[in-house]
Amino acid sequence: QLSEDVERVSEHRTDERGGEMEVHEDASSVVSPDSELGTTAPSLRFSKTCLKNVFSVILLFIYLLLMAVAVFLVYQTISDFREKLKHPVMSVSYKEVSLYDAPGIAFYPGKAQLLSCKHHYYDHIPPLINPGQPGDIDCTTQSINYTDPFTNQTMKYALVVQGPRDVKKKELVFLQFHLNGTDQDFSAIDYLLFSSFQEFINSPEKAEFLKSCEGSYSSWKFSGGFRTWVRMSLVKTKEEDGSETVEFKQETSVVNYIDQRVKRRGDQLFFVVFEWKDPFIQTVQDIITANPWNMIALLCGIFLALFKAADFAKLSVKWMIKIRKRHLKRRSQVMNHIS
């Protein structure tokens, strides 16, 4: 009996010591997180995480803004390209030459008669010796009869004269016509300019050639009783299909001729001078300023920036998710340790 009492007392003391040890262990487990982590560490970690999240959101909004700007630029670039395709720009260039291809001058004198025709140089026209009388005809001329291209019934008579060629020597052609008697109140002679006299000479159908020229080019007039200067300039226009058309621009000046002859009523003299205005041939063509390669390069740059921005946004989102998971993991670890 005495031995049994001793064993009971020892077990009771053992239980008391175990309970005290458990209490000490629980107390140490409660106190140890505070001693290890401290009181300010969770708040600092939370503030850093919050700042990182806010910064990531700001970067995401910046990406969205850049993407919107890039989409607008793509739309604007394509719209400008289509607009420039519809409205080409006219380009004018000048080519200096020393010799022109001699133009053809088609006169429609009617009842008037060609009295003289001469080539002069350096703008020097000598005084007329016998005005109104037949003189020298030193020009290359050819007479053509053809039907009117607009009526196809009326026959027309044209006198074709070779125009000036040497621009450096200031070559000009001076012609004198005479009209004896007219039933009109005003007397004038029509003329037509076309680009190449040699092309007219080489043409097998000269009548058809002149008929086509009259249908394509404008005609002008010079009046009787005056000396008319015609200063020509050549304009070449390149069409969209690659063809080239030639036309003349001209400046005219008129000087009154004082006729001192004893003449009959209705007797008229016509004087006309043809010369080149300058040695420059004007070339006009339509140019599309929209360059497809520039547009492609711009679009490639915009799309490359978009891809880079998208990659940056993707990394930012991944980083935000990673930071969030790390924060939740630490929080769960602390809660588990406290519990």
Side-chain angles (χ1 to χ4, degrees):
Q1 184 176 5
L2 180 60
S3 63
E4 290 177 0
D5 292 335
V6 171
E7 289 178 358
R8 289 176 182 174
V9 171
S10 63
E11 288 178 359
H12 179 69
R13 289 179 178 176
T14 304
D15 292 337
E16 289 179 352
R17 290 178 180 176
E20 290 176 358
M21 291 176 66
E22 290 178 0
V23 170
H24 286 299
E25 288 178 357
D26 292 337
S28 62
S29 64
V30 173
V31 175
S32 61
D34 292 336
S35 61
E36 291 178 359
L37 296 176
T39 57
T40 60
S43 61
L44 289 176
R45 188 178 298 110
F46 178 76
S47 62
K48 290 181 180 180
T49 304
C50 182
L51 288 175
K52 290 179 180 179
N53 291 336
V54 171
F55 182 68
S56 300
V57 171
I58 292 175
L59 290 179
L60 186 61
F61 276 112
I62 292 175
Y63 159 69
L64 293 175
L65 179 62
L66 291 176
M67 187 178 67
V69 172
V71 171
F72 174 76
L73 287 177
V74 170
Y75 172 76
Q76 192 68 28
T77 302
I78 296 175
S79 300
D80 291 344
F81 182 76
R82 294 179 61 185
E83 190 69 20
K84 289 178 180 179
L85 286 179
K86 294 179 182 178
H87 302 89
V89 177
M90 182 177 292
S91 172
V92 180
S93 59
Y94 293 90
K95 179 182 179 182
E96 186 175 2
V97 296
S98 58
L99 293 174
Y100 282 94
D101 188 7
I105 310 171
F107 294 96
Y108 301 94
K111 298 179 181 180
Q113 178 187 2
L114 177 63
L115 296 180
S116 63
C117 178
K118 287 187 178 182
H119 290 259
H120 300 284
Y121 297 92
Y122 301 106
D123 293 340
H124 175 67
I125 301 176
L128 293 173
I129 299 176
N130 294 314
Q133 299 297 321
D136 296 332
I137 299 178
D138 297 334
C139 304
T140 303
T141 63
Q142 190 162 359
S143 299
I144 298 294
N145 291 314
Y146 65 96
T147 57
D148 194 311
F150 302 105
T151 62
N152 290 326
Q153 296 177 353
T154 308
M155 291 296 297
K156 300 189 71 173
Y157 166 71
L159 177 66
V160 183
V161 179
Q162 182 178 356
R165 184 169 181 267
D166 196 338
V167 65
K168 280 194 172 182
K169 295 181 180 179
K170 297 183 179 180
E171 179 185 1
L172 56 85
V173 178
F174 176 63
L175 299 100
Q176 179 186 182
F177 289 88
H178 172 258
L179 179 60
N180 186 8
T182 178
D183 54 356
Q184 298 178 353
D185 294 336
F186 301 96
S187 56
I189 294 177
D190 296 337
Y191 66 93
L192 175 72
L193 295 173
F194 55 92
S195 59
S196 177
F197 180 80
Q198 190 63 37
E199 186 178 352
F200 165 74
I201 294 297
N202 297 334
S203 175
E205 296 292 336
K206 295 180 176 57
E208 291 297 325
F209 183 88
L210 272 184
K211 189 175 180 180
S212 176
C213 288
E214 186 177 355
S216 303
Y217 300 111
S218 301
S219 61
W220 294 274
K221 297 177 181 290
F222 62 98
S223 302
F226 296 93
R227 178 178 287 185
T228 305
W229 272 271
V230 179
R231 293 177 175 84
M232 305 173 294
S233 59
L234 197 61
V235 180
K236 294 183 179 180
T237 304
K238 293 183 178 180
E239 305 294 340
E240 294 182 358
D241 57 356
S243 61
E244 187 177 81
T245 59
V246 179
E247 62 179 344
F248 288 88
K249 288 185 177 180
Q250 62 177 25
E251 296 178 0
T252 58
S253 57
V254 180
V255 178
N256 186 23
Y257 171 70
I258 301 175
D259 194 353
Q260 298 179 356
R261 300 173 301 146
V262 179
K263 58 180 182 178
R264 293 179 298 174
R265 187 170 182 176
D267 193 5
Q268 289 286 340
L269 293 179
F270 300 80
F271 306 96
V272 61
V273 178
F274 289 91
E275 59 181 335
W276 290 107
K277 179 183 176 183
D278 50 47
F280 297 99
I281 296 178
Q282 180 179 343
T283 303
V284 180
Q285 59 181 346
D286 291 336
I287 294 180
I288 298 175
T289 56
N291 192 341
W293 296 110
N294 291 340
M295 189 192 73
I296 292 173
L298 179 60
L299 291 178
C300 288
I302 292 174
F303 285 124
L304 181 61
L306 280 176
F307 286 133
K308 287 292 184 181
D311 190 25
F312 173 74
K314 182 180 177 181
L315 293 176
S316 299
V317 172
K318 285 184 177 180
W319 180 61
M320 291 171 61
I321 295 173
K322 185 178 179 180
I323 293 297
R324 181 64 178 171
K325 287 182 177 179
R326 185 181 299 173
H327 174 67
L328 293 176
K329 185 178 179 180
R330 288 180 178 177
R331 184 177 180 183
S332 63
Q333 289 177 353
V334 171
M335 295 301 295
N336 291 334
H337 192 66
I338 292 176
S339 62

